[in-house]
Amino acid sequence: MKKYIFGSLLLSATLLTSCSLDETPQSKFSEAEAFKSSTLIYVNTVANVYSAIGNGLYGSDGSSVHTLQEFSSDATMLPGRQGDWVDGGKWQNIFLHNFESSVDSYNNIWNHLYGIIGLCNSSIDKLEQFKAENPDCETYIYELRAIRALYYYNAMDLFGQIPVVTSSSVSTSDVAQSNRSEVFKFVITELAECLPHLSDGKCQNQGDYYGRMTKAVAYMCMAKCAINAPVYTVDNTSETSYQAFVGDDLSGACTASETKGAAVSQTGKGINITVDGTARNAWETVKYCVDQLKALGYALQPVYADNFIVANQSSVENIWVRPNDDKIYKVYDYNRMRSLHYNHAGAIGYSGWNGACSTVHQMKVYGYGTENVDPRLALNFYTDMDYVEECGAPVNDGATDKDLEYMPLEAVVDFPAGADAHKVKCAGARFKKYEYDRSTTINECINNDLVIWRYADALLLKAEAEYRLGNTGAALDLVNQVRSRVNAEPRTSLTLNDLLDERMLELAWEGVRRQDQVRFCTFTQPTADRYVGVWHNASAGDYNNDTKGYTNVYPIPYAVLNLNTNLKQNPGYAN
């Protein structure tokens, strides 16, 4: 009997029965035909994985890694606007850290992560069969292993204790759950072994390695693993396992503690990671990886905004991007649409849903309303009536006879009945970062490639590593390199909280905030926006004032636990 593979997607036998890998194939052809050349081998293994990535990391309808990183943080919220955007309490529960209440909404994210992992396993298993006949198979295997490691990194970051499966032939009954430290070790070992075999090509530039796993992407992933190593090496066996990362600022200012930070810094000094044949502690590993990025040609783009323009493929700063357009890739992204007021968006020929916005806390960090406003505020957000120049004239607020004026300090978790209608429609600074694409034929598919990691992030990681090693002067110099690019006043001193603030100022909306907060011990702290007793919609739960630290990882979706009884729920959450 002839064996067939699918031309549109290689399906694994099953990797955890919760994975959705049952797409209908568009065509099928014989395996002999599919693997008769290096090009076809690539198309039917590696390319199939990239084509399946879609919007599971960034964008989508809320079922993305970006959503869980951004909307649970102190930076981004989606207010209930008197019926609009309540969505059964989903967004408010994420923001108020009632993760258990929305646990089933994480299924799509889990399924996406393990779906890509399953495709990698299936492709690797297939390539192993053809390795002797075609030497290119070995190179493709390393690329797929690195992609798989990156996806395990994301799964480990979000869910902590997860299964590690490296074969498409493993049955559900044989799947075992690994401690977080074991997953961490797997990820860094895989990345280290794959790095020498990955291309020096640029992921962000159109060409052979456009959107692909390259050395630079792997080095950045290793730097992310290293900077978070004190978190990732905790074995989450009790609901107080992350007690060391529970902050002690209950004032609502949500500042990072130097005392807490010193303990994290000391832990990182004792964690060894081997990259390119040399073992270094976590902080030295971060420095090394960032230096390698520089050696590969990455640098700060002279103009901040050029990283996010429609034709951003020429950026020298963007390290890992998701290729996007309205003709070939057609990957939907709702972040801008979800945020912009509908009349503002309509005036520029776009669609807007008038939802997501910045928190008040973030606006205070930017210095909004003061004499010391960071220059990046105007680059990342629409505030007040600064949209008028783009639209050509003011637009109506959609509720009264007043003009739309974004009101950054009026954002709240939920607007109760009787709230001022103008504030309900206008509250919150809105997403701006990406240049508006006037050429797109599909509102959700902009031609700006979506930036996942860039060199400014890497420089700030190195600054943090230097600070945690006690090299404050070196850290300050790196921070000021990033600040000078946007003509911000140089800092003359530096604290741990300054580093955390600098990451918010530079990386707003880029999906790194939750991860940063966990590492800086501020994720569980109350803010100006969420606190015990904050008003919320009746469909959402009260603010979860977690004093134990268990919310530093998300609960494993119930559907996954029901399908695989080998898996146990993360401590602190109901089974």
Side-chain angles (χ1 to χ4, degrees):
M1 185 174 73
K2 268 189 176 178
K3 294 168 67 180
Y4 288 89
I5 65 166
F6 298 125
S8 61
L9 190 64
L10 277 172
L11 307 182
S12 70
T14 6
L15 169 69
L16 305 179
T17 55
S18 60
C19 293
S20 299
L21 300 178
D22 56 353
E23 287 85 349
T24 301
Q26 301 301 313
S27 62
K28 59 183 180 179
F29 45 89
S30 72
E31 188 174 280
E33 294 171 334
F35 288 89
K36 67 182 180 182
S37 72
S38 292
T39 299
L40 284 174
I41 290 172
Y42 172 80
V43 167
N44 288 293
T45 55
V46 184
N48 272 331
V49 173
Y50 287 122
S51 69
I53 286 176
N55 53 20
L57 289 178
Y58 192 117
S60 186
D61 58 355
S63 298
S64 71
V65 171
H66 181 273
T67 296
L68 294 190
Q69 296 288 10
E70 199 66 36
F71 285 88
S72 63
S73 76
D74 61 357
T76 307
M77 64 195 303
L78 214 164
R81 300 181 188 272
Q82 292 186 340
D84 287 344
W85 288 111
V86 173
D87 290 357
K90 168 186 172 179
W91 298 99
Q92 293 181 36
N93 277 327
I94 291 175
F95 184 67
L96 297 175
H97 291 188
N98 293 302
F99 301 143
E100 194 168 10
S101 300
S102 303
V103 67
D104 287 333
S105 69
Y106 309 143
N107 282 344
N108 289 343
I109 299 170
W110 176 283
N111 289 349
H112 170 73
L113 294 172
Y114 273 98
I116 297 300
I117 289 167
L119 286 172
C120 287
N121 287 341
S122 179
S123 292
I124 290 169
D125 288 349
K126 185 59 63 177
L127 286 167
E128 288 286 353
Q129 298 177 31
F130 289 88
K131 191 165 58 174
E133 302 172 24
N134 192 315
D136 288 336
C137 290
E138 190 77 39
T139 301
Y140 297 153
I141 287 171
Y142 282 116
E143 185 172 354
L144 287 164
R145 285 175 59 189
I147 297 168
R148 184 178 64 186
L150 187 150
Y151 266 75
Y152 270 122
Y153 151 78
N154 278 291
M156 167 189 68
D157 179 75
L158 295 175
F159 298 107
Q161 301 181 109
I162 58 171
V164 174
V165 181
T166 59
S167 171
S168 60
S169 61
V170 175
S171 68
T172 303
S173 60
D174 294 328
V175 171
Q177 198 166 12
S178 297
N179 287 331
R180 201 178 202 184
S181 64
E182 295 171 336
V183 186
F184 172 75
K185 184 177 180 180
F186 170 79
V187 171
I188 60 174
T189 300
E190 284 288 283
L191 288 172
E193 290 181 5
C194 294
L195 258 166
H197 306 278
L198 298 175
S199 172
D200 291 348
K202 299 292 193 293
C203 169
Q204 80 276 23
N205 296 156
Q206 287 184 334
D208 290 344
Y209 289 91
Y210 185 36
R212 289 173 63 181
M213 170 61 69
T214 61
K215 272 191 174 73
V217 178
Y219 274 123
M220 187 64 174
C221 189
M222 185 70 86
K224 290 280 185 177
C225 287
I227 202 74
N228 292 291
V231 180
Y232 296 156
T233 51
V234 172
D235 283 331
N236 189 18
T237 57
S238 76
E239 58 186 328
T240 58
S241 292
Y242 295 98
Q243 189 72 55
F245 298 93
V246 175
D248 50 17
D249 179 6
L250 304 180
S251 70
C254 200
T255 54
S257 163
E258 290 290 333
T259 302
K260 287 275 185 180
V264 174
S265 299
Q266 190 61 37
T267 299
K269 292 175 183 177
I271 299 172
N272 288 324
I273 300 171
T274 299
V275 187
D276 293 340
T278 301
R280 304 170 183 83
N281 71 33
W283 315 128
E284 293 291 351
T285 299
V286 173
K287 291 171 55 180
Y288 174 79
C289 290
V290 176
D291 289 345
Q292 294 307 112
L293 290 170
K294 182 178 180 180
L296 286 166
Y298 288 87
L300 292 176
Q301 186 74 11
V303 178
Y304 179 93
D306 285 352
N307 293 307
F308 310 101
I309 60 175
V310 173
N312 59 347
Q313 293 90 352
S314 61
S315 168
V316 297
E317 181 173 344
N318 294 339
I319 295 169
W320 183 26
V321 302
R322 190 195 70 188
N324 204 40
D325 61 33
D326 60 342
K327 295 178 178 63
I328 299 173
Y329 300 102
K330 295 184 180 179
V331 181
Y332 282 31
D333 176 64
Y334 294 113
N335 280 320
R336 184 185 180 103
M337 180 183 291
R338 188 185 287 130
S339 182
L340 291 190
H341 188 284
Y342 35 80
N343 289 342
H344 168 191
I348 58 176
Y350 198 64
S351 293
W353 295 344
N354 199 37
C357 65
S358 168
T359 61
V360 171
H361 172 78
Q362 182 166 234
M363 288 295 99
K364 290 181 176 180
V365 172
Y366 270 91
Y368 174 80
T370 73
E371 295 180 355
N372 299 310
V373 179
D374 189 277
R376 286 162 288 194
L377 177 68
L379 297 170
N380 290 325
F381 298 96
Y382 290 103
T383 61
D384 307 301
M385 297 183 70
D386 62 358
Y387 69 90
V388 172
E389 182 178 354
E390 184 179 65
C391 294
V395 298
N396 186 268
D397 69 357
T400 70
D401 60 356
K402 297 179 181 179
D403 290 337
L404 166 66
E405 53 173 334
Y406 290 126
M407 307 169 77
L409 301 183
E410 297 296 335
V412 295
V413 173
D414 187 75
F415 284 95
D420 179 83
H422 183 63
K423 289 182 180 179
V424 171
K425 296 295 185 183
C426 300
R430 306 305 174 88
F431 179 77
K432 182 179 183 180
K433 200 153 202 162
Y434 287 81
E435 178 188 18
Y436 169 59
D437 179 13
R438 297 180 182 275
S439 69
T440 185
T441 58
I442 306 173
N443 277 324
E444 301 90 341
C445 299
I446 59 176
N447 287 278
N448 323 54
D449 289 340
L450 290 162
V451 181
I452 300 175
W453 287 334
R454 57 191 176 93
Y455 189 65
D457 185 353
L459 283 181
L460 291 175
L461 293 180
K462 185 178 179 181
E464 181 185 336
E466 293 282 22
Y467 187 89
R468 292 187 183 279
L469 287 167
N471 305 325
T472 307
L476 184 61
D477 178 65
L478 289 164
V479 167
N480 283 332
Q481 284 183 42
V482 176
R483 290 179 64 82
S484 66
R485 190 255 300 269
V486 292
N487 297 316
E489 287 291 323
R491 291 187 182 270
T492 56
S493 61
L494 201 61
T495 66
L496 200 64
N497 196 67
D498 291 336
L499 284 165
L500 182 59
D501 283 352
E502 201 62 40
R503 291 187 62 77
M504 175 179 272
L505 295 167
E506 178 68 20
L507 304 169
W509 294 102
E510 294 186 38
V512 300
R513 189 61 184 175
R514 166 194 160 272
Q515 193 180 83
D516 290 345
Q517 280 201 274
V518 171
R519 182 173 74 253
F520 280 82
C521 309
T522 68
F523 186 66
T524 62
Q525 293 181 162
T527 73
D529 304 276
R530 59 176 175 226
Y531 46 83
V532 176
V534 67
W535 174 267
H536 57 84
N537 193 271
S539 61
D542 294 328
Y543 165 60
N544 182 4
N545 183 29
D546 173 23
T547 60
K548 298 177 179 178
Y550 71 94
T551 54
N552 281 310
V553 293
Y554 286 101
I556 295 173
Y558 289 140
V560 174
L561 298 174
N562 291 337
L563 286 166
N564 189 340
T565 57
N566 293 337
L567 306 184
K568 295 181 180 179
Q569 183 58 276
N570 284 324
Y573 299 104
N575 290 321

